[in-house]
Amino acid sequence: MNMKPSSPSDSNISINNSTTTFISSPWETMRRKPRTTLLLSLLSILLFAAFSLHLSRDAVSGWRPDYDLDDRPWKLNAKNHVVVHTNANKNNNIVNEFSHQSRRVSSINFRNSFSTVSVLLPDWEILVLVSPNTPLSSSDEYNCLFRNNQMSQAKFSGVLPFTNRTTFKCDMPGTVWRRKIFSQPMLVTGTSENEFQNHSPAAELVRWNFVVYESFSMEDDVVLFAKGVNHRQGYDRPAKELNCVFQIGDGIRTAVTSSVQEVFRCLHPDPSDLGSNSEIGVSLEIIGENIVVPSVAYYTPRPNKPNSKPVAVQNFGPPAQPKYFLCACTMVYNVAKFLREWVVYHSKVGVENFILYDNGSDDDDLERIIKELREEGYNISTLLWIWPKTQEAGFSHSILYSKSKGLCTWMMYVDVDEFMYLPSWRNNGFHFNSNELPSLKSILPREDKGGRIGQVSMMCLEFGPSGQRQHPKEGVTQGYTCRRKVEQRHKSIVLVEAVDRSLWNVIHHFQVNEKQGFRSKQLGPEEGLVNHYKYQAWVEFKSKFRRRVSAYVVDWRQAMNPNSQDRTPGLGFEAVEPKDWTHRFCEVRDQRLKLLTREWFGSFTHNGYRMAWQTR
């Protein structure tokens, strides 16, 4: 794709950011002239060192992933989310025109800059979201250019669904960490050789833990996904304390009708107020605190009239009958080596479609594996879900996604290291070459069989390293056969239409709509089980210290939530392999699923005995 280049000699480059813009204090432009006396020079050095230490302390102490909303010293304007450095102004005035992000540079040797908004992620990583429909070239090298003229490579991270926004990730240079206010970088092509000369305000970085990050339009309402408004350990704000704010004119507000975890539902704005706008920012307003949450989300309007051409890009209203009876949904991050076994197995036991929420996989073969599986006939959908620690919200989103596309009657929620099975399968002597195959569908009630079962749950068995020192070449079902004795929290298969409107869930368990007569059913260990290969060979397990997609533990290296079930008993907060790791969590030798899968998927070849998912 072609892009209109910017002239390297231009001294003014204006970035018109069509997304939400956050304005902070102007960048400093004055430099101190060098002093001629040694005394003044030494004094200046001492003052600068003290001041830098103060800023560094403030920056680090202010970057707390679990900060309290009441600790924020600033207020945000409802229209452009302008930072108002005052506690006296309670009028929440609306700015009439969108602010532009304008930066003056001097002899910067880059070819192009782009309209973007950036989010500061954990580990000093920055997510850069390019404005929708921005032309980009795959042959260009992209960089993040920071306020102090430092640069870091911007790596392509995928395209967000629904809004078609290209994303990049770059690291924040250490020299930027000590600044009191973190300003958004510019996404540029080329290199930088000279310093910024800044004469206009700089947009402040959005924080990953206080942001509206997604929007999904249904036929009857709008669903927003936001961090930092409700606290998992605390309470959910009453819906009456919130508004949805749509960036049209002076701002259009509609009432929030449901507020649970990171999911907020509100009414559509009047279509007549939208005009011809196709890119409409949307956020949440905390009414009592005079705050509009920073947002990177866009609103998709619904059709104006039943017979008119719809404005929306999403499909409203599912068909009468979903396409698949049983789907499986999971969130993935760098799971290429595990995915094939998981898909092949569950496809054979009744799963017809797989929905993968990719949490930003990198340095992984995931895309290639998915392509191969699709070519082999497996139905796999992938959605880039790049937001940190949002597994519950992602699963809530999957219910909306399935409804909007008419995909699934039932949805199974298990991770890629978890395998559902019925112990009775082995007793019944099922074989894949017979006319009747074992299926998870047998435990799911159909309407004609009566009852209002909206969810079927089964307990998990947690397997340990089982003596393995690396990933078993025949797969996890073959290599891990020793587990803990106690049964752990359950995983579920959910009737999509039975899920409560609030979309409340605890990762693998939803609240069903009891007002409509739905209830959950818990299976006993003799009826159904989940083998969770949780504690694998250390080389595989240690990667979980750096990155977890779940919502409970932000980082295993932090001394937080020590009693969480998401932690490993007796491991502590450092990714250091215990001497007895290979033999830990081995209380019961359990080979039931190993023997089943070996019978169903194993065969002798000229390369020896192999499982169906082995490719080499």
Side-chain angles (χ1 to χ4, degrees), residues 45 92 99 129 159 195 245 283 334 350 417 437 463 473 575 606:
I45 293 173
N92 200 24
S99 298
L129 298 96
V159 178
E195 296 183 3
V245 183
S283 188
N334 288 356
D417 60 355
L437 302 180
F463 283 73
K473 63 180 182 179
H606 64 279

Side-chain angles (χ1 to χ4, degrees), residues 237-250:
R237 291 179 183 271
K240 64 181 180 181
E241 296 182 4
L242 303 167
N243 280 328
C244 281
V245 183
F246 303 86
Q247 293 181 336
I248 295 294
D250 291 338

Side-chain angles (χ1 to χ4, degrees), residues 62 104 170 421 489 508 592 603:
R104 181 183 298 271
C170 60
Y421 78 103
R489 55 192 181 193
H508 302 94
R592 287 175 292 179
S603 62

